[in-house]
């Protein structure tokens, strides 16, 4: 029984640093990518590790173990970067909170919601059901029609009439 010969990149001997980078660069970039948060940082990390490898190229005796050497350089470089990260903390008398952005008054919003619900309750039962399904339950016209057992055109016309009544509701015009 013969074992199929499979050329392994890690077992290959590379005549030059450039040939090694050409052959193994994509694999090493994937390794770097797994160590960082984004692709640009991974490219920078790989570049730094390859620079360290290039400087040690003549001292590396076993070129079959180059992948291990570069991976170790990747991990060590990433660990060093992580340890060196600068965290700025300053003690201050007041918290640097942004000024609150003026927004709508929650009480006024609740008054408007209550007025809207009362106006919806004044609609005829069929229109109320369609408005609730369309806008409160966020169903499509087709889904609303299916739930109520009517045609899509019936849903469209009934919802249109209901919205017209809501636009003309005196309580809503006062609340807005």
């Amino acid at each position: 029984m013969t074992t199929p010969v499979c050329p392994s990149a890690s077992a290959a001997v590379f005549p030059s640093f450039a040939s090694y980078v050409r052959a193994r660069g994509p694999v090493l970039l994937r390794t770097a990518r797994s160590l960082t948060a984004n692709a640009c940082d991974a490219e920078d990390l790989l570049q730094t590790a390859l620079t360290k490898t290039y400087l040690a190229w003549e001292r590396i005796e076993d070129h079959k173990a180059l992948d291990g050497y570069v991976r170790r350089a990747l991990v060590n470089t990433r660990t060093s970067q992580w340890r060196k990260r600068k965290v700025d903390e300053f003690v201050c008398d007041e918290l640097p909170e942004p000024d609150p952005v003026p927004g709508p008054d929650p009480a006024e919003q609740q008054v408007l919601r209550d007025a809207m619900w009362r106006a919806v309750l004044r609609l005829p039962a069929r229109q109320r059901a369609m408005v609730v399904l369309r806008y409160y339950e966020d169903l499509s016209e087709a889904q609303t029609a299916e739930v109520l057992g009517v045609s899509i055109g019936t849903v469209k016309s009934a919802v249109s009439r209901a919205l017209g009544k809501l636009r003309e509701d005196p309580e809503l015009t006062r609340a807005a």
Side-chain angles (χ1 to χ4, degrees):
M1 177 193 270
T2 61
T3 306
V5 177
C6 178
S8 171
S10 61
V13 177
F14 296 97
S16 71
F17 179 76
S19 65
Y20 172 72
V21 172
R22 271 193 303 278
R24 301 300 294 159
V27 172
L28 296 171
L29 183 58
R30 281 194 299 274
T31 303
R33 182 67 177 96
S34 71
L35 295 171
T36 61
N38 65 48
C40 294
D41 290 342
E43 290 172 0
D44 291 344
L45 178 62
L46 179 59
Q47 187 66 40
T48 302
L50 288 174
T51 301
K52 291 177 181 180
T53 304
Y54 179 75
L55 294 174
W57 187 258
E58 298 301 322
R59 291 181 310 207
I60 300 173
E61 295 175 10
D62 185 10
H63 280 209
K64 294 177 183 175
L66 282 170
D67 282 357
Y69 185 92
V70 175
R71 285 191 180 102
R72 175 53 48 198
L74 284 168
V75 170
N76 289 347
T77 302
R78 182 66 184 130
T79 302
S80 294
Q81 291 172 345
W82 178 80
R83 286 181 180 155
K84 290 178 187 177
R85 80 176 195 267
K86 188 174 180 181
V87 178
D88 293 329
E89 291 185 22
F90 301 101
V91 178
C92 57
D93 293 331
E94 295 180 30
L95 290 176
E97 299 292 329
D99 292 331
V101 178
D105 181 17
E108 290 178 12
Q109 287 182 320
Q110 187 60 48
V111 167
L112 184 58
R113 278 193 292 274
D114 290 344
M116 175 60 79
W117 189 245
R118 284 191 301 273
V120 167
L121 290 175
R122 285 191 291 274
L123 292 172
R126 186 173 166 155
Q127 288 180 357
R128 182 174 54 242
M130 290 183 191
V131 166
V132 167
L133 289 173
R134 279 288 288 130
Y135 298 106
Y136 283 88
E137 296 296 323
D138 200 29
L139 296 182
S140 68
E141 290 168 342
Q143 291 169 325
T144 302
E146 185 179 330
V147 167
L148 296 175
V150 297
S151 70
I152 295 173
T154 302
V155 171
K156 288 181 181 183
S157 62
V159 168
S160 176
R161 283 192 303 276
L163 293 177
K165 288 179 182 178
L166 291 174
R167 281 188 208 100
E168 295 170 359
D169 189 280
E171 188 178 358
L172 288 178
T173 55
R174 277 193 313 255

